[in-house]
Amino acid sequence: MAAPRNLTALKDEESGVELEDDSPAAKKPKSERFPLNSWEFAVAVAVFFVFSTGLVCIYLTMPAATSANLKLPRTLSDLRKLKDQFSTYANENPAQFIVGYCSTYIFMQTFMIPGTIFMSLLAGALFGVVRGIMLVVFNATAGASSCFFLSKLIGRPIVTWLWPERLRFFQSEIAKRRDKLLNYMLFLRITPTLPNLFINLASPIVDVPFHIFFFATLIGLIPASYITVRAGLALGDLKSVKDLYDFKTLSVLFLIGFVSILPTVLKRKRVYE
């Protein structure tokens, strides 16, 4: 008589669901399994629904002529059309336009929707450098903070699923720089060392305090925002988004980033001496 199968229960580290060792889910490669369990997925859908409802309400208050061809810009051509379409509306209804602009920007940042760079260019084209930078930095910080708290709720399985190696590297770097964490986070925000999307999602997972995350985002995004908003003033001359970050621009950003992390470097040098 054949020995009975061993049906030892295993716990999926990502979903928390108990599985038997011969179940299809247990045999399925980790990279192919959906990372969220039912509760986490419900939270994501609920938050998305709340944000989407707010955007729809704002959209319905816009004049029909303005909202008819409204869409998120994906190319510079789309952006130029959107700028022409919104120029009059933004001048005649500045408060209503800013509410819609801010809500859209924060929504995109919260749910990792690509295209916020076009929104930053639009701010420069419509509002100029000073007001444009204020708008972009406010929205980028608010959107990053919203993404931070959403990730605190349900982000761990997603980040572990998408970027396991990068997350381990980030966690080790954070652990080594706890005493000067603000300087390090400023460096990451100013320079393109790590994508902002990854920083927003991974920071709560590796226990970056929110106040450090917030101030590093608020201050660290100013240089890049200035570059993007200023480029929006000459939107008609811009041929590609890649033109925004040439070698000279990247060199300046890394120089500013190095200045921000210099206190950490000097402190470590004194310790070794």
Side-chain angles (χ1 to χ4, degrees):
M1 182 176 178
R5 290 187 307 165
N6 181 15
L7 299 179
T8 305
L10 301 176
K11 189 171 184 180
D12 186 349
E13 293 180 357
E14 292 179 350
S15 66
V17 178
E18 289 191 353
L19 304 169
E20 292 182 343
D21 60 358
D22 62 344
S23 66
K27 294 178 180 179
K28 194 172 183 179
K30 180 179 178 181
S31 60
E32 295 181 9
R33 296 202 297 268
F34 187 67
L36 299 181
N37 60 32
S38 300
W39 180 86
E40 291 165 338
F41 182 73
V43 170
V45 171
V47 176
F48 186 85
F49 177 78
V50 171
F51 272 78
S52 300
T53 301
L55 281 180
V56 170
C57 291
I58 293 170
Y59 174 82
L60 293 176
T61 64
M62 298 174 63
T66 303
S67 61
N69 299 314
L70 185 62
K71 69 173 183 177
L72 291 177
R74 294 301 179 194
T75 65
L76 288 176
S77 177
D78 291 343
L79 187 61
R80 293 185 186 103
K81 293 177 183 177
L82 199 64
K83 185 240 179 182
D84 295 337
Q85 183 178 350
F86 273 121
S87 292
T88 303
Y89 179 70
N91 290 328
E92 295 178 353
N93 306 276
Q96 191 172 358
F97 174 78
I98 288 175
V99 169
Y101 175 89
C102 293
S103 301
T104 304
Y105 201 120
I106 294 171
F107 175 83
M108 294 174 70
Q109 282 277 82
T110 300
F111 295 102
M112 302 157 282
I113 300 173
T116 53
I117 190 168
F118 294 111
M119 299 293 288
S120 300
L121 288 166
L122 183 63
L126 293 177
F127 294 103
V129 174
V130 177
R131 286 194 298 166
I133 290 177
M134 291 174 63
L135 264 180
V136 170
V137 172
F138 167 79
N139 286 302
T141 304
S145 300
S146 179
C147 187
F148 178 97
F149 286 113
L150 184 60
S151 181
K152 199 174 184 69
L153 281 175
I154 62 171
R156 182 179 293 275
I158 296 176
V159 179
T160 304
W161 186 52
L162 292 175
W163 305 291
E165 297 296 329
R166 184 177 287 177
L167 180 62
R168 281 191 285 270
F169 167 78
F170 188 44
Q171 191 162 26
S172 66
E173 293 298 304
I174 292 294
K176 289 188 292 186
R177 294 172 169 83
R178 285 289 174 188
D179 55 339
K180 290 288 184 181
L181 192 53
L182 179 59
N183 298 84
Y184 180 61
M185 292 298 292
L186 275 171
F187 174 80
L188 293 181
R189 284 302 195 188
I190 293 169
T191 65
T193 307
L194 287 174
N196 281 324
L197 167 62
F198 175 79
I199 297 172
N200 295 343
L201 288 171
S203 290
I205 296 171
V206 298
D207 297 323
V208 174
F210 176 69
H211 69 279
I212 289 179
F213 175 89
F214 177 84
F215 285 112
T217 304
L218 183 68
I219 300 169
L221 292 181
I222 292 175
S225 298
Y226 172 78
I227 293 168
T228 309
V229 169
R230 187 172 177 83
L233 295 175
L235 193 58
D237 299 329
L238 193 63
K239 296 180 181 179
S240 171
V241 174
K242 295 179 181 178
D243 295 340
L244 293 173
Y245 296 99
D246 55 16
F247 178 77
K248 181 180 177 181
T249 302
L250 290 175
S251 299
V252 171
L253 290 177
F254 271 102
L255 178 61
I256 298 172
F258 179 75
V259 171
S260 71
I261 207 172
L262 188 59
T264 305
V265 176
L266 293 177
K267 182 176 180 179
R268 295 179 101 186
K269 184 178 179 181
R270 285 197 298 270
V271 170
Y272 287 130
E273 289 176 350

